[in-house]
Amino acid sequence: MNEQMSADLQFQLEMLGFALREREILAPIDMTLPQGRVVGLIGRNGSGKSTLIKILARQQMPTNGSIRFDGKLLNAWGTKSFARKVGYLPQQIPVAPGLLVKELVALGRYPWHGALGRFTQADSDKINDAMTATGVSAFADQLVDVLSGGERQRAWLAMLLAQDVCWLLLDEPISALDLAHQVNVLSLVRDLSSRRGLGVLIVLHDINMAARFCDELIALRDGHLIARGTPNEIMRADILEDIYGIPMAVMSHPRSGCPVSIAC
Amino acid sequence: MSVGIARLSPQSAFLSGGGALLSAALLTPSLILLCVALGRQMPPQEWLSAVWMPRPGDMTSLTVHYVILPRFVIAFLVGAALGLSGAIFQQVLRNPIAEPGTLGVSTGAYLAIAIGTFLLPEWLAAGREEVALTGAAIATIGVFSFARRKAFSPITLILAGLVVNLTCGAVAAMLGLLHDQGLASLFLWASGSLVQHDWNSVLYLLPRLLLLAGLCFIIIRPLTVAGLEEETIRGLGLSPSRARIMGLTIAVALAGFVVSAVGVIGFVGLAAPMLAKLVGARRFTERLLWAPMIGAGLLCLTDQLVSLINFGGRELPAGVVTAIIGAPLLIILLPFLRRGSESIAPVYAPMQYNKRPNTILAICLFSLVPIVWIALSLGQGPDGWDWTGFTDIEPLLPWRAPRVFGALAAGGMLAAAGCLIQRITGNAMAGPEMLGIGAGGVMLVVVLMMAGQSIDPQAQAAFTIAGILGTFALLLLFGRRSGFATDRMLLVGIAINIAFTAVIALFISSGDPRALKVLWWVSGSTYMLSCAKASWALATAGVLIVAAMMLQRWLTVLPLGEATIRNVGVGLRTSRLSVLTVAAILTAGGVLIVGPMSFVGLMAPHMAAMIGMRQAREHLLCATLIGAGLVVTSDWVGRMVLFPNEIPAGLVATLIGGPYFLWLMQRRTA
């Protein structure tokens, strides 16, 4: 699958905006999201993070501007060919009545085999790999809806991995996870990105997790792109205060020396 | 963020005063029409005196006082009561298609009146109201006592209500078929008439309505909370079962008093709260206020219009006209419904599923063989029971085979259609008849009959197909705007179904000699089948079920919601449209053979789920097999039990399947 991952698989946003009647949810944004990096999307509630990620995932139509993915307008992509390239995990994970974990993960293979195509050995290998990578193999035969919140989140993440995409759009994928699993999942995402060259755009609320695992951070406030840079560039008291609207302090991690931020 | 979007939905601000506006839009013309009607009787300066003290002996003032005015007031009260009742039902059961009749109130009363009409006329002499109220109470108590052990969970209440509704309806229809005298009067009562001769009904209904509305406003907070998730209700320190039972008791009582006072007035209780929601009554408290006002307006306006139209020398029943007027209104307003504002109680999701579904499927398949064989070989003749065994079966085959195999095909198709529809809508109350397709087929035939056409069986089949196609086209036309979103399609289908069913009821209540034939057909009978038709049916069923099986991956993805559907690259419109089309053709096939048989399409998928069928493939196949077996058995029992008389298979299926279903549900709780 690495052949298809040319350097072009990037999102280009041109004057992209979203408004609901008069209210502007996203001010026109021009930017490029390059492939092969983990990009963290940060900002307060209601700053437009989920809207942006939904538009990129084609879950919502923008009201102005345009997006190109891989040089092609987003609308021009076929449903299945887009689903082979880009996977999206919504903030609110839907209920999956009567579905086993392995069946949920198997849904990730749909863009490859379609409605009637044969389910091959390769498909089932991908599914097993995805479940192993996210550590849900032990629950493979359990109903998704009886799992704990964290297990469920990982099961859905496994579905995206089985989808074998080159871009992951994750809307708060670790919100229900305990600390250990947060680190596990983010390490996994990091690892996938660096090993397979995946592009990742990830909404995170924990600024320290974001700084630790992302190559780059993008900050939104009231629908405006207000900062973009490496974690070291963003992790400054004045910038963080600007993003979150409360005084923030930045210090060095006692062991790693990385910048760590706490609210004052 | 999604909250922000929902709040800013384009319609909400525009229609913030929508409840008041719509109520006024309905009530004003009805008041004007009332004044016109009064003006025709007497000049305006005499109105007041006619209202307060009619002059004895003066016919016009007596008419105004004892006929026109009470009729307007009763329409207002009934509409308000049904609107309120429906609003509570939809809130507590967390289902947008719940209505006052959902828990068996109307059909319970209907059955009681049917028993009175056909078997025990002395009951009715003692008082129609009491008989209806008793029937309603017994049916509701039945549903409640069944749902009690499951803490009155919405899904249990709904399923038990469905079974009680279908069973009561089947028994009443059977009584009707066996004693055709009184059929028209029964249907007339069931269509709801607001004709008044004094103020008694008003005096009966008014205090009860006021009392119940008062109680409702006292428990408004628990009721608001009752619309949330189970955990949240508990978390807020409220007992879910107590909140539900309080609300439902009030709602059921409202419906019961209305039924006993004026008969079954359908649709208002479903439409009024939904219309309130459509015009922007987002909060439950707002709906509690506006649903009754809209309901009252809807019924008053309808009733005023009814008294203007003269239909073949008699007046149309208000219940029927409300459905015919209200359904298009609902469809027109449907695009204004906010997306994602519903929280539907989830369908039954098996927590203990069957680990070996293929074994169960094999058992179902092989138990069909003896059922079919018995249906073919065992029968009653002029000299009693007759068992042909293997050898002598041949001469009987031309007689029995078409019916047996026709039933097999029809049962399978309807069950498969129901399974598809329940899977894509995620609504346990959804069944094939809710697309309105079956009723559409019957309605066209009935309308032609009313227009004075005589219709031979060939033409009947052709017109049924035309009606079915037309209805489906209508459904797609209205569903197109929302991208065939399943919740909308279901509501459109229900609206169409209610309007068409009203027309059919109108025909049966008209006293036309062909009414019995239509009732027979609607009840589901294999009587008219020929050999050729049955083989066609089997072939069609086979092809369609294979087609449905090919949709299984979509059937797995579609219940997971739009985000997931898009994410895995399934085309939303294509997949929904395909599933709907297959479901519609399956329904059409079933309807052409046995008529719109509600029970099988609604219940066979639930039965399959209850015996642990989880995946789309096994669920679909198992429901199909259960449906096929159930209809073959019912058809055979229907032919045998009252030999040489016959009971339509659809009714028998309900009577056999209902108790079995309740048993299954109970076993699950144990």
Side-chain angles (χ1 to χ4, degrees):
Chain A
M1 62 160 229
N2 276 319
E3 307 81 51
Q4 45 170 331
M5 297 219 166
S6 61
D8 305 344
L9 285 166
Q10 55 183 18
F11 282 100
Q12 290 161 288
L13 286 62
E14 289 150 27
M15 293 301 284
L16 181 87
F18 185 78
L20 259 179
R21 288 187 300 138
E22 287 82 52
R23 206 181 96 148
E24 197 172 51
I25 308 280
L26 270 184
I29 294 177
D30 275 307
M31 66 172 177
T32 304
L33 294 169
Q35 216 233 339
R37 317 176 52 130
V38 180
V39 180
L41 192 54
I42 56 174
R44 299 173 56 173
N45 292 338
S47 57
K49 304 185 297 291
S50 289
T51 307
L52 177 60
I53 210 165
K54 272 186 199 157
I55 292 174
L56 292 178
R58 295 214 307 189
Q59 299 282 344
Q60 209 156 48
M61 291 289 286
T63 45
N64 343 69
S66 64
I67 311 178
R68 287 173 189 278
F69 175 65
D70 199 14
K72 207 157 119 187
L73 277 175
L74 216 52
N75 283 339
W77 282 85
T79 26
K80 258 185 263 174
S81 47
F82 189 73
R84 288 182 185 184
K85 305 273 188 203
V86 179
Y88 163 71
L89 188 69
Q91 189 176 4
Q92 271 176 353
I93 289 180
V95 287
L99 218 55
L100 301 185
V101 170
K102 61 178 180 194
E103 290 161 359
L104 177 73
V105 180
L107 290 182
R109 297 307 298 164
Y110 180 87
W112 300 90
H113 57 50
L116 300 171
R118 236 162 62 99
F119 187 83
T120 60
Q121 186 59 43
D123 288 322
S124 99
D125 291 344
K126 294 274 185 199
I127 292 166
N128 287 330
D129 290 349
M131 288 198 293
T132 315
T134 47
V136 293
S137 304
F139 319 121
D141 287 307
Q142 284 189 26
L143 289 166
V144 178
D145 287 348
V146 302
L147 299 180
S148 74
E151 289 161 353
R152 202 179 313 172
Q153 219 159 20
R154 281 187 286 148
W156 280 82
L157 207 56
M159 181 185 100
L160 291 197
L161 292 192
Q163 208 171 326
D164 207 7
V165 288
C166 20
W167 259 98
L168 289 176
L169 303 171
L170 308 172
D171 200 348
E172 293 188 40
I174 55 165
S175 57
L177 302 183
D178 59 48
L179 256 161
H181 279 118
Q182 287 187 9
V183 172
N184 278 350
V185 165
L186 289 177
S187 309
L188 171 72
V189 169
R190 245 263 53 103
D191 188 47
L192 284 168
S193 171
S194 49
R195 266 196 307 125
R196 302 193 192 171
L198 248 69
V200 180
L201 181 67
I202 181 168
V203 175
L204 288 172
H205 271 306
D206 185 333
I207 178 69
N208 292 318
M209 285 289 178
R212 182 170 155 193
F213 288 99
C214 296
D215 298 313
E216 199 180 3
L217 295 177
I218 292 176
L220 292 179
R221 196 187 63 197
D222 300 329
H224 292 268
L225 179 78
I226 55 165
R228 177 172 182 173
T230 61
N232 280 328
E233 289 164 357
I234 299 289
M235 291 294 269
R236 281 172 34 198
D238 54 335
I239 295 182
L240 289 178
E241 185 174 340
D242 203 21
I243 297 171
Y244 290 107
I246 50 165
M248 303 282 279
V250 177
M251 60 195 82
S252 309
H253 193 279
R255 290 225 191 116
S256 66
C258 295
V260 177
S261 162
I262 48 169
C264 302
Chain B
M1 181 148 312
S2 55
V3 176
I5 289 166
R7 194 177 54 230
L8 276 166
S9 128
Q11 298 85 21
S12 57
F14 173 59
L15 289 168
S16 55
L21 212 66
L22 182 62
S23 319
L26 291 167
L27 280 170
T28 316
S30 45
L31 274 171
I32 294 173
L33 286 172
L34 175 69
C35 292
V36 171
L38 287 181
R40 242 185 274 143
Q41 302 285 342
M42 54 176 64
Q45 54 269 30
E46 286 175 34
W47 289 0
L48 258 183
S49 68
V51 171
W52 295 116
M53 39 178 68
R55 287 187 301 276
D58 175 10
M59 252 338 264
T60 52
S61 94
L62 287 176
T63 312
V64 168
H65 185 83
Y66 287 110
V67 178
I68 297 182
L69 287 176
R71 179 164 167 170
F72 189 83
V73 176
I74 202 86
F76 187 92
L77 291 180
V78 166
L82 289 175
L84 183 59
S85 174
I88 300 174
F89 265 105
Q90 291 178 7
Q91 173 80 1
V92 175
L93 295 181
R94 294 181 54 204
N95 198 313
I97 59 174
E99 47 108 22
T102 301
L103 298 188
V105 180
S106 316
T107 46
Y110 180 59
L111 177 58
I113 294 282
I115 293 175
T117 310
F118 298 124
L119 303 177
L120 299 160
E122 62 271 21
W123 278 14
L124 290 186
R128 222 170 237 262
E129 289 81 4
E130 285 75 15
V131 173
L133 201 57
T134 314
I138 292 174
T140 314
I141 289 169
V143 171
F144 277 5
S145 57
F146 192 83
R148 198 165 54 99
R149 67 193 78 211
K150 288 286 281 178
F152 300 102
S153 79
I155 184 72
T156 318
L157 281 165
I158 286 173
L159 290 178
L162 279 175
V163 171
V164 167
N165 269 329
L166 289 166
T167 311
C168 288
V171 175
M174 203 157 77
L175 289 172
L177 287 172
L178 297 176
H179 315 75
D180 52 344
Q181 277 147 3
L183 191 62
S185 86
L186 178 67
F187 266 81
L188 202 60
W189 177 84
S191 316
S193 169
L194 297 169
V195 176
Q196 301 292 312
H197 303 294
D198 49 37
W199 288 91
N200 285 346
S201 292
V202 172
L203 292 178
Y204 171 81
L205 210 52
L206 184 63
R208 288 169 172 78
L209 174 57
L210 286 178
L211 177 72
L212 290 167
L215 282 176
C216 175
F217 279 90
I218 291 173
I219 61 162
I220 204 160
R221 285 187 189 151
L223 283 183
T224 309
V225 176
L228 303 172
E229 304 282 339
E230 185 98 17
E231 291 84 7
T232 320
I233 306 178
R234 284 226 175 74
L236 292 172
L238 200 69
S239 147
S241 56
R242 201 178 309 160
R244 287 181 193 131
I245 201 74
M246 282 192 302
L248 288 178
T249 307
I250 293 177
V252 160
L254 280 166
F257 289 132
V258 166
V259 163
S260 68
V262 296
V264 182
I265 305 255
F267 196 71
V268 176
L270 172 77
M274 197 176 286
L275 288 170
K277 209 181 286 177
L278 289 177
V279 295
R282 186 181 44 80
R283 293 185 311 138
F284 177 57
T285 323
E286 291 167 354
R287 287 201 292 281
L288 274 190
L289 176 64
W290 294 118
M293 292 311 288
I294 292 171
L298 200 58
L299 200 56
C300 283
L301 183 59
T302 313
D303 193 47
Q304 289 303 316
L305 291 174
V306 160
S307 51
L308 291 181
I309 312 163
N310 204 318
F311 176 73
R314 69 201 182 88
E315 208 171 70
L316 290 169
V320 170
V321 183
T322 321
I324 297 172
I325 293 179
L329 184 63
L330 194 63
I331 292 174
I332 291 167
L333 283 173
L334 211 51
F336 290 96
L337 187 65
R338 246 172 309 187
R339 304 307 306 274
S341 58
E342 300 297 337
S343 81
I344 300 184
V347 292
Y348 161 64
M351 286 300 171
Q352 291 145 345
Y353 58 93
N354 202 299
K355 297 271 194 322
R356 276 182 305 191
N358 288 332
T359 319
I360 303 278
L361 283 177
I363 293 173
C364 288
L365 185 62
F366 286 114
S367 51
L368 269 185
V369 177
I371 291 177
V372 168
W373 186 52
I374 288 174
L376 284 173
S377 62
L378 183 64
Q380 281 188 78
D383 0 284
W385 287 94
D386 166 46
W387 168 262
T388 56
F390 284 105
T391 45
D392 305 327
I393 203 168
E394 232 180 291
L396 286 170
L397 278 183
W399 304 106
R400 289 181 184 164
R403 307 191 60 165
V404 171
F405 289 110
L408 192 74
M413 284 196 275
L414 288 172
C419 181
L420 295 185
I421 291 167
Q422 283 177 8
R423 274 205 161 247
I424 60 167
T425 58
N427 195 320
M429 287 172 73
E433 82 279 6
M434 282 189 191
L435 294 181
I437 288 171
V442 180
M443 193 205 65
L444 189 62
V445 175
V446 163
V447 165
L448 289 170
M449 283 180 173
M450 282 199 279
Q453 303 278 329
S454 66
I455 290 175
D456 60 80
Q458 220 114 53
Q460 177 174 330
F463 285 127
T464 311
I465 293 177
I468 286 168
L469 289 177
T471 313
F472 190 55
L474 212 59
L475 197 65
L476 293 186
L477 184 73
F478 292 127
R480 212 163 50 101
R481 255 184 81 175
S482 59
F484 308 111
T486 46
D487 49 341
R488 309 302 167 92
M489 296 298 276
L490 192 60
L491 293 176
V492 170
I494 288 174
I496 293 178
N497 187 43
I498 288 177
F500 287 0
T501 310
V503 175
I504 298 170
L506 186 66
F507 177 71
I508 296 180
S509 70
S510 71
D512 190 295
R514 291 167 296 188
L516 199 63
K517 215 172 117 192
V518 171
L519 181 61
W520 190 268
W521 181 30
V522 174
S523 305
S525 163
T526 56
Y527 186 69
M528 312 260 281
L529 282 176
S530 67
C531 235
K533 221 171 154 186
S535 0
W536 264 108
L538 265 186
T540 318
V543 171
L544 286 174
I545 285 160
V546 170
M549 291 297 294
M550 286 162 67
L551 302 173
Q552 57 172 297
R553 282 183 187 151
W554 287 350
L555 290 176
T556 311
V557 180
L558 285 174
L560 297 180
E562 292 189 7
T564 314
I565 299 173
R566 284 205 200 92
N567 175 50
V568 299
V570 173
L572 262 174
R573 292 175 75 96
T574 327
S575 56
R576 282 173 178 163
L577 194 59
S578 317
V579 175
L580 269 175
T581 308
V582 172
I585 304 175
L586 281 165
T587 311
V591 170
L592 281 175
I593 303 166
V594 296
M597 196 183 271
S598 309
F599 184 85
V600 174
L602 206 49
M603 289 305 176
H606 284 304
M607 289 184 187
M610 277 179 186
I611 57 178
M613 299 290 121
R614 190 178 48 75
Q615 282 184 311
R617 179 189 66 94
E618 48 196 60
H619 188 201
L620 181 66
L621 282 180
C622 188
T624 308
L625 292 173
I626 291 177
L630 188 60
V631 177
V632 172
T633 312
S634 309
D635 182 52
W636 182 79
V637 170
R639 279 184 283 141
M640 293 308 131
V641 74
L642 287 179
F643 186 82
N645 286 321
E646 239 181 69
I647 306 171
L651 302 185
V652 182
T654 311
L655 296 178
I656 298 179
Y660 175 63
F661 183 78
L662 289 180
W663 177 76
L664 264 183
M665 221 159 87
Q666 195 155 357
R667 204 187 50 150
R668 192 164 59 89
T669 56

